[in-house]
Every structure is written in structure tokens, then in C-alpha cells.
Amino acid sequence: MTSHTQDLAVRPVTESEIPDWIRALNTGFLRTPYVPDDEIADRSSYIDPSRTLGAFDGTRCVATFRSFPQELTAVGGNPVPADAISNVTVTVTHRRRGLLTRMMAQDLAAAKERGDVVATLIAAEYPIYGRYGFGPATSATQWEIDVTRAGLDPRWSAPEDGGRIDLVDGEDVRKLGPELHERLRRAQPGAINRDDRWWQVNTGVVRLTRAPWTEPFYAVYRAADGEVQGLVAYVCDDTWTDAKQPFDTATVKGFIATTPAAERALWHHLCSIDWVTKVKSGWRAPDDLLPLLLPDPRAATITTQADWLWVRVLDVVRAMEARSYEGEGTLVFEVVDGAGLAGGRYRLEASAKGASCTPTTESPELILDVRELGTLWLGDESAVRLAALGRVREERAGAARVADALLRTSRRPWCPDIF
């Protein structure tokens, strides 16, 4: 007999329950429910049981939820503390009983109490998270380059700017990569921090049954003065046509470039490798330079374009004051938050010198749900467009245009990572 909703306990897991929690996680993501010992050991090494929730029907885990501390780069480069949410599942036999709602409410309340400015996640399914106040704040794009039509010189072997490209190994990447990524994330709104384990997993030090490892090629770009400004990891297949012609694909597994010169040189490197006729870009910013770096931009075809990082604002004042503003102006806005975490009326005064955001009793010029605030906060979406969709309401004509002038950015936010 199926348990009633009130009989299902939602609570942090104990160490002894981690294997059952992993089984429920794998079941929810339609992976084999078998849990190998190395997965138990690996997950036990980094998850915080106090922030790892499960729903239990008796002793069996039937829903999973995990959060962890994260730093998210706001517009202008300031990092803000974030509650990163991942590993969210509800077993098919226990859907529609409010289990995710209970786990989410518990986690967000704790995040608010800790002082996190926002919560973040990457949504496997679009319709789920808006009702919890999350809005899609960045998107990502994948391109496929037809090298034979790109127009680049296939005989190219070195940058023309005095820099150079060197092939390195995983040990070099673990030395060079973290500092390079820190430079990128300080300049890239929407980027997040990476811990030591990230570099170990992505250079093959940590190898798991659930994720078979293929050693990639690593190439770094060094400027003329020797500074490392770019890094790419890629794998290649081994494909030949019936006419004995090479038809290989290079697939990018990771790409960091802190300067346009590094970006240009590394893409040219990938497109000039002997036998490679196709390059798959991996997930990139939607306004990446890639297509326009090619003499024929049509050689880069978009294969995937989708929402990526979702943001849920927990502290409106700190969120709005953490970011920078290219324009100057004042906006009074009201945030509607059914969960009672970030609702209220606020007065934003912003300029290139900084911003103040204070609670106010003034009449609002713009009214929006907290999920729309999350969508607008990193500068990627337009308040005018959301108003046309009925998701933002103008109480004063032209208020949405004022919001756009203050919030939108010249380059689009982007999160290079999945979590």
C-alpha cells in the first residue's frame, strides 16, 4: 500500500543512507540503479549530509535534493554567495505529493538564513522551477563548424600576433587552469567558481565507473610575453570515408579564453588539425565570437540553443547593489514572492559609480514576480519584452525601458559550467 504524503519524511540524509540516496538519484535520472562502491566513496567525499535532503517512504529514499556553496559573478565582476542546487529527483512512484516543494522550501529557507544572495540551478526540465521563484538568467549555444567551408587557412600553424600554442598534459592543466579560470570568471557575469575536485575530475585524476574517461588533448595559448591566456580540451574520433578520406570530428570538452587573441588562435588551431573536417564547439556563450571569427560564418551551424543557469533572488538589496550599471537612473519596483523570501517594494538608484537599493513605500513603477527579477538580474533579458508577454507590469508608462537601460549588458552573461 502506498504511503500518504504526511507519512513521507523529508530530512537530511545520514552517512549510512548515502548509498540508498544515490540509488534514488540514479533512478530519477534514468541511470542504472546499481550503485558501485567507487561512486559511494566519491560522493561521500564531497557532499554535505546536512545539505543533502531525501524523502523517505519507510526506509527507502524516494526523492533527492542537494545544495552546496557557490560564488556567482554578478554584472561588473563582484562575486556573490549563492546556494547552488543540484541532484533533484522524485521517483516516478511518488510524484505529485509535494516532495520537491517541501525539499525546496527547506533548502531556500536555510539559504536565506545563511545570508546567500541568490540560489542557482541548471534545469533538466523547463516548467518545474518557475513556481519556486527561479528564472532563466543565461543561455548557452553549441555550434558545429564545417572546417572545409570555414575559409581558414588549413596550413596555419602558429598565431600571427607573436603568441604560440603548445600541447600540454593534464598535470599542466591542473597547474595553469585554476588561475586562468579565475581571470575568466572575474570578468564574466554568470560564471561560477570551480573547486579542486572539478579540476581532478576533468583531467582524469578522479575516474568513476559512471563516467568512462577518455584522455583529451590539451592546448594552451601563450601571448607574446608568455602569459597563458587560453586553454582548450578536445577529443577526436577516427573516421574515414569509403574513399579512404579522413572525416574526423574534434569535440571541445572545455574552452577558456581571457582575450580575443586567445579565442581566435585556439579556434584556428582546432580548425587546422590534419584530418579534422568538423569541430563541435561544446557549450558556449550565445554571443560567442566564434561564428564571426570565421571568414565564412555560415560554416558554423547552431546545433543547440537553450536556457542554462537559472537564478532565484533571495536578497533583493544585496543582489541589486552587488552588480554594476552602465546607465544612470532611478526605478521603484515591487517584487512579488509567494514564498515570502524576497518580496517587497524597492527604490533603485544606479549609475556607473555604483548603486543603492532600499526598501520604500513609494508607489511602484514596475511590478514583477521574483522569477522575472532573477531573469533580469544578470542583464540578459529585456523588461520591455517581458512586459509584452504580460510577465512584468508597468505602473508608469516607460518604466520597462528604464529598467532595460539600467540592467541590460553590452555582452551577454554566460555560465561555462554545469552542476
Side-chain angles (χ1 to χ4, degrees), residues 49-61:
S50 69
R51 295 180 64 168
T52 304
L53 303 178
F56 290 85
D57 188 347
T59 60
R60 185 178 181 85
C61 186

Side-chain angles (χ1 to χ4, degrees), residues 259-382:
T259 65
E263 197 166 352
R264 182 181 301 110
L266 289 174
W267 286 122
H268 204 158
H269 165 72
L270 290 166
C271 290
S272 64
I273 300 170
D274 290 340
W275 299 359
V276 168
T277 60
K278 185 187 299 180
V279 173
K280 294 184 177 182
S281 72
W283 291 105
R284 303 295 301 156
D287 61 346
D288 197 89
L289 301 180
L290 170 59
L292 299 180
L293 289 174
L294 306 177
D296 186 351
R298 294 182 184 178
T301 303
I302 292 176
T303 57
T304 310
Q305 184 162 302
D307 58 279
W308 198 247
L309 184 76
W310 289 54
V311 169
R312 204 272 189 219
V313 175
L314 297 170
D315 188 323
V316 175
V317 171
R318 291 169 64 202
M320 302 308 285
E321 291 184 346
R323 57 158 291 166
S324 64
Y325 299 84
E326 296 181 11
E328 182 173 347
T330 301
L331 180 69
V332 178
F333 61 98
E334 182 174 318
V335 179
V336 179
D337 185 355
L341 297 171
R345 196 171 295 175
Y346 303 89
R347 178 182 177 86
L348 174 67
E349 297 183 37
S351 72
K353 296 180 181 179
S356 69
C357 182
T358 55
T360 184
T361 57
E362 296 178 60
S363 298
E365 301 165 301
L366 202 68
I367 299 177
L368 68 167
D369 191 272
V370 67
R371 64 178 177 267
E372 269 63 62
L373 182 62
T375 293
L376 293 168
W377 179 62
L378 285 174
D380 197 37
E381 186 53 270
S382 161

Side-chain angles (χ1 to χ4, degrees), residues 214-234:
T214 299
E215 185 76 16
F217 300 97
Y218 302 103
V220 298
Y221 168 82
R222 291 183 169 90
D225 62 2
E227 181 185 52
V228 174
Q229 296 181 349
L231 165 68
V232 63
Y234 59 96

Side-chain angles (χ1 to χ4, degrees), residues 11 56 95 139 152-153 158 165 193 230 266 287 316 330 340 347 353 359 379 386 406 418:
R11 56 173 173 76
F56 290 85
R95 292 178 298 180
S139 58
L152 294 170
D153 181 359
I165 290 178
N193 60 306
L266 289 174
D287 61 346
V316 175
T330 301
R347 178 182 177 86
K353 296 180 181 179
L386 293 180
L406 292 175
I418 190 168

Side-chain angles (χ1 to χ4, degrees), residues 102-162:
R102 291 169 63 188
M103 293 188 295
M104 184 69 76
Q106 187 169 323
D107 182 79
L108 292 181
K112 177 77 172 180
E113 181 68 22
R114 278 194 305 270
D116 291 333
V117 174
V118 298
T120 62
L121 55 82
I122 294 176
E125 295 181 64
Y126 193 101
I128 295 174
Y129 293 100
R131 66 180 183 267
Y132 302 115
F134 288 84
T138 78
S139 58
T141 305
Q142 294 189 96
W143 281 273
E144 187 172 281
I145 305 169
D146 183 345
V147 173
T148 63
R149 300 185 64 85
L152 294 170
D153 181 359
R155 298 167 299 175
W156 182 90
S157 60
E160 295 80 11
D161 57 8

